[in-house]
């Protein structure tokens, strides 16, 4: 089957990375400015540029409980996914493809915010905040200065409270 043999892949999820120390020396660590979401894909792109391979090993087993930290589709997650996906496209899609990929990704995020506005306005605000953070180059974990005022201090902004 498709996942029955060892093969090279574009990126590996951060919860399942096994990395040589020399790869970290040459490509650097995971970018803490991205905080969470897309930092693993960014790292894999840099590692591949440094001459290493990302390899899928079908016998490896990892249990990762998705959404445990931030909640699936929470405003917190939507903010970070929006900002970091735009950042990934800006960093890693080569010219001239970036001329189409970046506006397309931005438009897709804007449409998503528009659709969310009807039934989940806090989530729509989080997507807009992620777009704004990307455009203003605001990185790191979201704080009171980065999330929309309506989200600061709300349960939606702090899913672990």
């Amino acid at each position: 089957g498709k996942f029955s043999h060892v093969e090279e892949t574009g990126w590996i999820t951060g919860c399942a990375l096994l990395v040589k120390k020399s790869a970290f020396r040459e490509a650097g660590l995971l970018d803490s400015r991205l905080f969470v979401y897309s930092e693993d894909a960014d790292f894999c792109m840099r590692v591949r540029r440094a001459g290493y391979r990302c390899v899928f090993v079908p016998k490896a087993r990892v249990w990762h409980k998705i959404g445990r930290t931030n909640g699936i589709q929470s405003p917190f997650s939507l903010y970070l996914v929006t900002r970091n996906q735009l950042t990934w496209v800006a960093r890693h899609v080569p010219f001239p493809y970036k001329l189409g990929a970046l506006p397309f990704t931005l438009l897709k995020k804007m449409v998503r915010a528009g659709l969310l506005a009807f039934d989940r306005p806090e989530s729509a605000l989080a997507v807009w905040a992620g777009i704004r953070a990307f455009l203003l180059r605001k990185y790191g974990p979201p704080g009171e200065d980065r999330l929309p005022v309506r989200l600061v201090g709300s349960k939606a902004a702090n899913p672990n409270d």
Side-chain angles (χ1 to χ4, degrees):
K2 183 177 178 183
F3 300 111
S4 62
H5 58 281
V6 174
E7 65 180 275
E8 195 163 341
T9 186
W11 67 278
I12 301 166
T13 180
C15 71
L17 286 174
L18 183 61
V19 183
K20 290 182 176 184
K21 186 163 68 169
S22 59
F24 282 120
R25 269 197 298 272
E26 292 180 45
L29 301 174
L30 277 76
D31 188 344
S32 63
R33 292 173 301 167
L34 296 178
F35 181 59
V36 69
Y37 301 119
S38 300
E39 82 288 0
D40 45 11
D42 173 73
F43 175 73
C44 288
M45 291 297 287
R46 290 185 284 118
V47 164
R48 290 174 59 215
R49 269 193 226 114
Y52 293 88
R53 298 182 312 140
C54 294
V55 179
F56 167 74
V57 179
K59 290 188 178 186
R61 296 290 179 259
V62 174
W63 179 319
H64 181 252
K65 192 164 184 172
I66 297 173
R68 176 103 172 122
T69 304
N70 304 316
I72 297 172
Q73 298 299 306
S74 70
F76 180 83
S77 295
L78 288 167
Y79 167 83
L80 290 167
V81 166
T82 298
R83 182 195 69 191
N84 293 353
Q85 284 178 350
L86 288 164
T87 300
W88 190 92
V89 170
R91 285 182 183 176
H92 297 293
V93 173
F95 184 83
Y97 307 107
K98 188 181 306 198
L99 295 175
L102 193 54
F104 175 78
T105 305
L106 184 58
L107 179 63
K108 192 167 82 169
K109 297 299 179 182
M110 293 167 69
V111 167
R112 176 98 192 262
L115 294 172
L116 285 169
F118 294 105
D119 63 334
R120 294 173 41 208
E122 287 81 16
S123 294
L125 287 172
V127 172
W128 283 113
I131 292 169
R132 181 177 183 272
F134 165 73
L135 294 172
L136 296 176
R137 299 173 194 238
K138 300 274 187 177
Y139 292 102
E144 291 186 10
D145 62 325
R146 295 196 181 110
L147 288 175
V149 174
R150 281 183 61 186
L151 295 178
V152 173
S154 74
K155 188 74 168 170
N158 302 303
N160 294 323
D161 288 347

